[in-house]
Amino acid sequence: MADPATDLRDPVFFRWHANIDDMFQEFKATLPRYTVAQLNYPGVTVANVSVQNQGGQPNILNTFWQQSDLDLSRGMDFQPRGSVFVRFTHLQNQDFTYTITVNNQGNNRMGTCRIFLAPKFDERGNPWLFRNQKDMFIEMDRFSVSLKQGSNTITRNSTESSLTVPFERTFRDLDVNRPTGGDELERFNFCGCGWPQHMLLPRGTEAGFQCQLFVMISNYADDRVEQNTDGICSDGDTFCGIKDKLYPDRRSMGYPFDRQPRQGVDTLQQFLTPNMRVQDVNIKFTNRVVKPRNRNN
């Protein structure tokens, strides 16, 4: 339980994690609820949202199995030293692109685009009450956008997510270009932080797992953190923060789903303000295995 490299294999891990999450949600439930003014961005309307794989159908996301080769020689005490590869099978998703249409009735200004995903129905197949569904939303991406007056079309690739790092960074060789110590070593270790890109989407089902994609444009003036991050590894800053810097968002983590809903809000649709939009999406899992491309056999 004490080592991130092994804690997921401990049977108590997920129970412990859920217990901590529940305690935190109890605390958050004591905080004031967000008002419409704290959620809305006057003059900004999200008119349309869609996602699409290359050559695929709109709002259908695809997952599958992929095999990859991983060099484990650093953890093996073999003499003489050499590469020891293991081939393993892991979840993978097809890259996709968000297309978001935003109408700005004011002057040119900045906004923060926040993208979340949650199941559309509960485990019994019933529609959620919002007070329960809000805890199911996972953050997919967060980034700043420049809004000109009038209609704006925002496109964003899933591989650009501010939560994730690519496969090569998740399973990088820790001996290559490794500093010997001090601040450089701490920076080197931190730069491996990030949610794995191949685990951005839940697996889904072969029939199609129905989810709701939530997009919000919040007021950048209320979100921004003034600090210099030049030259700092910050690929997964939404997930990891930035080393020795403030967290790059003045809003609470999980905003706008981190507090109980305002009075009269029982469903997700009732929660929405004009700067938010929800799109139904399906996550389809294909039980096939894609072989590695970088090695033979």
Side-chain angles (χ1 to χ4, degrees):
M1 279 289 288
D3 190 338
T6 57
D7 55 11
L8 287 174
R9 295 184 180 275
D10 193 313
V12 79
F13 172 81
F14 289 100
R15 295 182 184 181
W16 180 262
H17 201 303
N19 184 54
I20 299 299
D21 285 348
D22 289 344
M23 291 171 59
F24 188 63
Q25 291 298 335
E26 288 183 26
F27 161 70
K28 296 291 277 189
T30 67
L31 300 180
R33 305 173 187 222
Y34 291 124
T35 64
V36 170
Q38 291 173 306
L39 298 171
N40 196 21
Y41 192 1
V44 173
T45 303
V46 180
N48 190 62
V49 173
S50 67
V51 291
Q52 188 161 2
N53 301 306
Q54 185 174 4
Q57 295 178 310
N59 303 317
I60 302 292
L61 303 175
N62 297 306
T63 63
F64 51 91
W65 299 120
Q66 180 169 328
Q67 288 186 341
S68 298
D69 292 339
L70 181 63
D71 188 354
L72 295 182
S73 55
R74 188 173 185 270
M76 303 291 183
D77 189 16
F78 291 161
Q79 294 294 336
R81 287 185 64 86
S83 295
V84 179
F85 284 94
V86 61
R87 179 164 293 175
F88 70 108
T89 302
H90 59 86
L91 186 66
Q92 183 59 279
N93 61 84
Q94 188 176 354
D95 295 345
F96 57 92
T97 300
Y98 304 99
T99 302
I100 305 164
T101 304
V102 181
N103 293 325
N104 175 23
Q105 297 177 357
N107 297 325
N108 296 351
R109 49 183 159 175
M110 296 290 293
T112 303
C113 185
R114 303 170 186 272
I115 304 177
F116 290 79
L117 182 76
K120 184 174 182 179
F121 303 105
D122 67 15
E123 67 276 13
R124 296 182 178 87
N126 297 321
W128 291 96
L129 288 174
F130 180 73
R131 65 174 180 267
N132 298 321
Q133 188 184 22
K134 74 176 186 62
D135 296 336
M136 298 294 107
F137 276 97
I138 56 174
E139 193 162 10
M140 301 286 288
D141 203 352
R142 187 182 68 234
F143 54 96
S144 59
V145 292
S146 178
L147 301 175
K148 69 179 189 298
Q149 192 172 26
S151 181
N152 298 260
T153 300
I154 301 167
T155 57
R156 175 86 164 181
N157 195 283
S158 59
T159 57
E160 298 177 276
S161 173
S162 60
L163 279 85
T164 62
V165 292
F167 183 90
E168 295 74 20
R169 284 266 297 284
T170 301
F171 297 103
R172 62 184 174 156
D173 188 334
L174 296 176
D175 285 333
V176 176
N177 300 321
R178 182 182 182 86
T180 57
D183 291 341
E184 290 186 357
L185 179 59
E186 289 187 15
R187 188 179 302 110
F188 175 85
N189 291 334
F190 185 85
C191 283
C193 183
W195 187 255
Q197 177 66 37
H198 63 278
M199 294 178 63
L200 178 62
L201 288 177
R203 193 190 77 164
T205 64
E206 294 188 27
F209 182 53
Q210 297 184 65
C211 291
Q212 291 183 300
L213 187 74
F214 170 92
V215 174
M216 173 187 190
I217 306 293
S218 59
N219 189 342
Y220 183 73
D222 296 331
D223 305 333
R224 68 183 176 198
V225 175
E226 299 288 353
Q227 58 185 348
N228 182 13
T229 59
D230 292 343
I232 295 177
C233 176
S234 58
D235 296 31
D237 60 4
T238 293
F239 187 73
C240 305
I242 303 175
K243 186 179 184 304
D244 298 329
K245 299 289 183 178
L246 297 173
Y247 185 73
D249 187 5
R250 283 171 59 192
R251 308 278 193 176
S252 298
M253 295 182 73
Y255 170 87
F257 298 116
D258 62 310
R259 299 189 186 183
Q260 289 296 314
R262 61 191 182 275
Q263 293 295 326
V265 170
D266 295 318
T267 66
L268 177 58
Q269 287 297 326
Q270 292 173 341
F271 174 75
L272 301 182
T273 51
N275 59 320
M276 306 174 186
R277 195 169 183 89
V278 171
Q279 173 63 53
D280 288 351
V281 298
N282 253 337
I283 303 177
K284 288 194 172 183
F285 168 71
T286 303
N287 192 20
R288 63 185 175 93
V289 179
V290 176
K291 302 291 185 179
R293 291 179 297 177
N294 59 325
R295 293 181 59 82
N296 296 325
N297 301 328

